[in-house]
């Protein structure tokens, strides 16, 4: 029994060590949706207040995650994923959130795992690239009709220059 407890404790420490070193936020929920594990990245990304920690329903701890959690539970599927916007420190952040069920060896629901990452910079880069593409297309459309006009003006100048002379 003592050896078994020692092995379980060792595995728990290893599990905590791995999850605390990943950059993605990871939140463990029990079968009712109450928070029972939060890694460091999740604490940092979500800025969870003290009262919204362990044993708090996910919809209360992180209200923005509530609808996705409800969707996962009501759909009966194993996974739900969505980009969710949260405001922290007065700044809008985009989180790519994936929720999945956690089942025991008999297939009975044990809880849920919520994994998420901040994709704000990625979304911003995509938006900048899209605006760059729009600007390039607009410049092309503006320049495109100017070329025939310029060629026509040059042709007219060559044709009528001998008749009118240099007026300038």
């Amino acid at each position: 029994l003592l050896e078994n407890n020692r092995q379980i404790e060792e595995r728990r420490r290893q599990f905590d060590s791995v999850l605390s070193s990943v950059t993605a936020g990871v939140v463990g929920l029990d079968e009712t949706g109450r928070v029972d594990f939060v890694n460091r990245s999740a604490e940092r990304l979500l800025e969870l207040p003290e009262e919204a920690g362990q044993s708090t329903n996910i919809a209360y701890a992180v209200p923005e995650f509530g609808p996705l959690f409800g969707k996962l539970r009501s759909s009966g599927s194993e996974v739900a994923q969505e980009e969710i916007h949260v405001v922290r420190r007065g700044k809008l952040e985009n989180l790519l959130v994936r929720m999945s069920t956690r089942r025991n060896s008999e297939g009975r629901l044990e809880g849920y795992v919520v994994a998420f990452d901040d994709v704000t910079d990625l979304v911003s880069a995509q938006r900048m690239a899209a605006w760059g593409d729009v600007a390039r297309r607009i410049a092309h459309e503006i320049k495109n009709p100017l070329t025939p006009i310029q060629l026509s003006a040059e042709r007219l100048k060559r044709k009528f220059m001998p008749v009118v002379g240099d007026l300038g």
Side-chain angles (χ1 to χ4, degrees):
L1 185 61
L2 289 174
E3 178 60 23
N4 212 8
N5 280 341
R6 188 193 63 71
Q7 287 178 358
I8 290 170
E9 184 60 28
E10 180 64 29
R11 285 186 189 136
R12 189 191 61 75
R13 276 197 304 273
Q14 185 179 14
F15 173 77
D16 288 348
S17 173
V18 168
L19 283 180
S20 66
S21 65
V22 296
T23 58
V26 179
V27 177
L29 307 175
D30 66 12
E31 65 278 354
T32 65
R34 292 189 172 280
V35 176
D36 60 10
F37 174 82
V38 179
N39 76 343
R40 284 188 201 135
S41 293
E43 289 173 350
R44 181 181 51 78
L45 288 168
L46 297 175
E47 295 182 344
L48 292 173
E50 292 296 320
E51 67 274 6
Q54 309 287 1
S55 298
T56 303
N57 191 289
I58 188 67
Y60 173 74
V62 187
E64 298 91 347
F65 288 6
L68 183 60
F69 182 65
K71 184 172 141 183
L72 175 65
R73 289 184 78 173
S74 66
S75 72
S77 71
E78 295 292 308
V79 177
Q81 181 171 313
E82 213 171 271
E83 185 177 317
I84 295 177
H85 306 286
V86 297
V87 177
R88 299 294 185 263
R89 298 179 301 268
K91 181 180 161 196
L92 179 69
E93 294 178 347
N94 299 309
L95 301 178
L96 183 60
V97 182
R98 181 179 175 93
M99 294 185 179
S100 59
T101 57
R102 192 179 75 224
R103 301 194 176 273
N104 64 15
S105 57
E106 292 91 41
R108 209 171 66 245
L109 180 68
E110 276 188 341
Y112 302 88
V113 176
V114 181
F116 56 94
D117 212 347
D118 186 355
V119 293
T120 305
D121 293 338
L122 178 63
V123 169
S124 178
Q126 287 174 335
R127 192 174 296 126
M128 295 279 281
W131 277 113
D133 189 48
V134 167
R136 184 183 56 76
R137 288 174 189 235
I138 289 172
H140 175 74
E141 292 303 320
I142 290 171
K143 184 180 176 188
N144 203 18
L146 291 180
T147 303
I149 293 169
Q150 182 181 4
L151 292 172
S152 295
E154 288 172 1
R155 218 172 22 250
L156 288 171
K157 182 178 176 183
R158 275 194 309 272
K159 183 176 181 179
F160 291 111
M161 181 67 89
V163 176
V164 194
D166 190 14
L167 298 175

